[in-house]
Amino acid sequence: MKKKIAIIFGITGQDGSYLAELLLNKNYIVYGIKRRTSLIHTTRIDHIYKDIHLKTNLILKYGDVTDFSNVFNLINEIKPDEIYNLAAQSNVGVSFELPEYTAQTDSIGTLRILEAIRILDKKRKIKFYQASTSEIFGNSPEKPYNEKSKFEPVSPYGTAKLYSYWMTRNYRDAYSMFASNGILFNHESPRRGENFISRKTIIGIIKVIKGQQKCLYLGNLKSKRDWGHAKEFVYAQWKILQHKVPDDFVIATGKNYSVKDLINLVLKKLNIKYAWKKDKNNFEYAVALNNIGQIQKSQIIVKQEKRYFRPNEVHDLVGDNRKAKKVLKWKPKINFEQLISEMINSDLKKII
Ligand code: NAP
Ligand code: GDD
């Protein structure tokens, strides 16, 4: 049987690497699109990459979703069966500092791919997956969020992603394209970027124990997130494109925890005894109650700092995954505690 061909925009990211593994295991030919960078950073996919001169089902190509001619030429040359658009400036906090670049990548980038498909794929054979996000719900009042909930994004990132969500739906309706949105809630893994809260907390606290930094500085501890495992969430991405009709799906665990819950869990797993206190500005900090590693009793090990707060915040995200469970037969199995344990164990091996 002819092998399916997939393009992954954003293959060097967390999800791109897990999705590439999944598709290769399913015998796809995978074209991974990576950006030109001054230092090569393919660490997340090095274990599956083989020299291009050998026989391989993973081919890397340079590309950037801010360049229409490049996107057009890639799709024209590769003639894929499936396209996964995971490419994005994906950090919500950073999107307040880079709003225009975020829009170029996270909004117009999607439009460029959709337009290329519309022009090139007259027979409407290509299936398109858009990496949508729970950030499009923002602080919309009715929770848990499902496919029919109101969208009220509160960041340049969420707003840019909402444009892509609607464009994906519009191209599906207007041009009969197989174009689907996966509205994914937060998902983490040992491969998570180091400046997202889960990984930042774990790396930071391990470094404090090892004496490589004195304290971990963070922003808002009150916000809540519905955290799942990236490996399970990319399986949902693939399932969305295998469904018989294009559609939009919420992918979530259905349980959420606060940032403070996350920190408490990491401290507990690393056997640190501590107490939370407040300073005169009402910022919280955690003080060690025992000597452990390089930590001295009474040392401030975690502290809130103004610079890590965002100009606007999504307070409480939790998803209703019933449609995905029923229609796609997708169900998450890894719980929050197992996820964080896996990430801690991985970073304990890396930080020496
Ligand atoms: P990630 O680790 O930040 O990966 C993003 C990928 O996009 C990287 O490969 C990055 O390349 C690439 N990229 C960035 N700008 C690009 C551009 N202009 N042209 C081409 N590629 C570009 O993000 P992730 O966690 O894997 O998430 C994957 C997608 O799902 C993103 O679209 C994200 O917004 C969305 N999403 C993520 C979550 C989550 O919790 N992880 C939840 C909902 C939705 P570099 O490696 O060169 O930076
Ligand atoms: N990154 C970060 N760094 N977040 C912090 C910090 C800090 O120092 N201190 C507190 N937080 C809080 C943020 O304000 C936010 O409320 C929460 O921790 C989670 O932040 P992130 O881990 O950066 O994730 P996010 O929820 O903003 O965005 C992620 O999930 C979205 C889906 O809901 C990203 O993966 C997005 O790409 C994704 O769409």
Side-chain angles (χ1 to χ4, degrees):
M1 217 169 78
K2 193 177 158 284
K3 283 183 181 171
K4 278 194 190 168
I5 300 174
I7 296 183
I8 303 177
F9 287 96
I11 193 164
T12 54
Q14 171 188 253
D15 289 12
S17 66
Y18 284 113
L19 182 64
E21 277 172 14
L22 176 82
L23 297 182
L24 290 170
N25 281 334
K26 293 192 176 294
N27 216 18
Y28 279 60
I29 297 173
V30 176
Y31 284 83
I33 311 306
K34 63 167 184 176
R35 295 194 287 179
R36 191 269 157 186
T37 44
S38 67
L39 281 175
I40 293 173
H41 68 116
T42 49
T43 43
R44 290 183 176 113
I45 48 170
D46 283 344
H47 62 290
I48 47 173
Y49 183 73
K50 281 193 210 138
D51 188 324
I52 191 71
H53 306 99
L54 305 172
K55 196 170 154 39
T56 174
N57 285 338
L58 174 62
I59 299 127
L60 295 183
K61 294 264 196 190
Y62 280 112
D64 198 303
V65 295
T66 60
D67 181 336
F68 179 71
S69 61
N70 165 261
V71 169
F72 185 91
N73 287 331
L74 285 168
I75 297 173
N76 190 28
E77 277 167 28
I78 297 168
K79 304 199 182 351
D81 299 291
E82 297 173 7
I83 297 178
Y84 295 85
N85 179 27
L86 311 182
Q89 189 301 94
S90 72
N91 190 300
V92 178
V94 171
S95 78
F96 289 95
E97 291 173 46
L98 299 175
E100 187 183 330
Y101 176 71
T102 302
Q104 275 299 336
T105 307
D106 301 11
S107 300
I108 310 299
T110 311
L111 176 62
R112 292 184 184 102
I113 301 174
L114 287 166
E115 266 294 280
I117 300 173
R118 182 186 71 78
I119 297 164
L120 291 166
D121 181 29
K122 296 280 186 258
K123 293 192 178 150
R124 301 288 173 256
K125 281 187 167 165
I126 299 177
K127 295 181 176 182
F128 174 73
Y129 173 85
Q130 168 57 18
S132 190
T133 162
S134 45
E135 278 286 311
I136 63 176
F137 298 118
N139 290 318
S140 177
E142 294 196 5
K143 282 172 257 226
Y145 298 123
N146 62 34
E147 294 76 7
K148 296 199 171 96
S149 297
K150 206 169 157 221
F151 303 127
E152 286 185 22
V154 296
S155 66
Y157 170 82
T159 309
K161 283 281 189 176
L162 185 53
Y163 173 91
S164 287
Y165 166 89
W166 277 116
M167 276 303 185
T168 301
R169 285 190 62 167
N170 288 341
Y171 272 61
R172 175 165 88 216
D173 296 341
Y175 307 116
S176 304
M177 279 172 47
F178 194 114
S180 300
N181 285 293
I183 309 171
L184 272 57
F185 284 63
N186 298 49
H187 45 280
E188 322 290 309
S189 73
R191 298 184 200 166
R192 185 56 145 155
E194 293 172 7
N195 54 2
F196 295 94
I197 192 70
S198 59
R199 195 84 198 287
K200 178 174 170 181
T201 301
I202 292 166
I203 292 175
I205 294 177
I206 294 175
K207 284 192 171 171
V208 173
I209 296 177
K210 304 228 178 226
Q212 294 175 19
Q213 71 185 58
K214 274 280 170 223
C215 178
L216 168 67
Y217 296 97
L218 298 172
N220 183 12
L221 306 184
K222 289 195 181 124
S223 55
K224 291 173 124 188
R225 293 292 183 270
D226 178 337
W227 279 295
H229 197 300
K231 201 169 183 174
E232 295 189 326
F233 279 44
V234 302
Y235 182 55
Q237 297 174 357
W238 176 76
K239 287 217 113 186
I240 288 172
L241 288 200
Q242 310 318 305
H243 186 48
K244 51 186 180 307
V245 286
D247 202 350
D248 308 317
F249 294 91
V250 160
I251 303 297
T253 71
K255 283 197 179 146
N256 69 356
Y257 299 87
S258 69
V259 172
K260 200 167 177 184
D261 292 334
L262 166 74
I263 299 165
N264 288 335
L265 180 62
V266 175
L267 291 170
K268 188 175 143 213
K269 294 247 167 228
L270 290 167
N271 299 317
I272 302 171
K273 307 259 177 299
Y274 61 96
W276 284 104
K277 302 194 174 188
K278 279 188 183 169
D279 69 13
K280 60 180 187 325
N281 297 316
N282 235 9
F283 283 158
E284 294 195 74
Y285 59 96
V287 181
L289 300 177
N290 57 340
N291 291 333
I292 174 163
Q294 299 298 311
I295 296 177
Q296 303 294 308
K297 195 173 165 192
S298 306
Q299 184 180 329
I300 296 176
I301 48 177
V302 182
K303 195 172 187 312
Q304 284 189 297
E305 202 178 279
K306 198 162 177 270
R307 79 175 76 191
Y308 297 109
F309 283 78
R310 295 169 182 180
N312 214 345
E313 179 65 280
V314 171
H315 303 298
D316 184 359
L317 285 175
V318 62
D320 172 354
N321 61 18
R322 280 177 298 175
K323 180 175 172 186
K325 272 186 179 155
K326 191 168 169 231
V327 179
L328 300 176
K329 313 275 179 259
W330 174 87
K331 194 165 99 183
K333 296 189 190 85
I334 302 170
N335 67 31
F336 180 56
E337 192 169 341
Q338 290 165 328
L339 166 68
I340 298 304
S341 295
E342 185 187 330
M343 293 176 70
I344 291 175
N345 290 336
S346 163
D347 277 322
L348 277 173
K349 285 184 203 136
K350 285 183 198 152
I351 304 165
I352 307 160

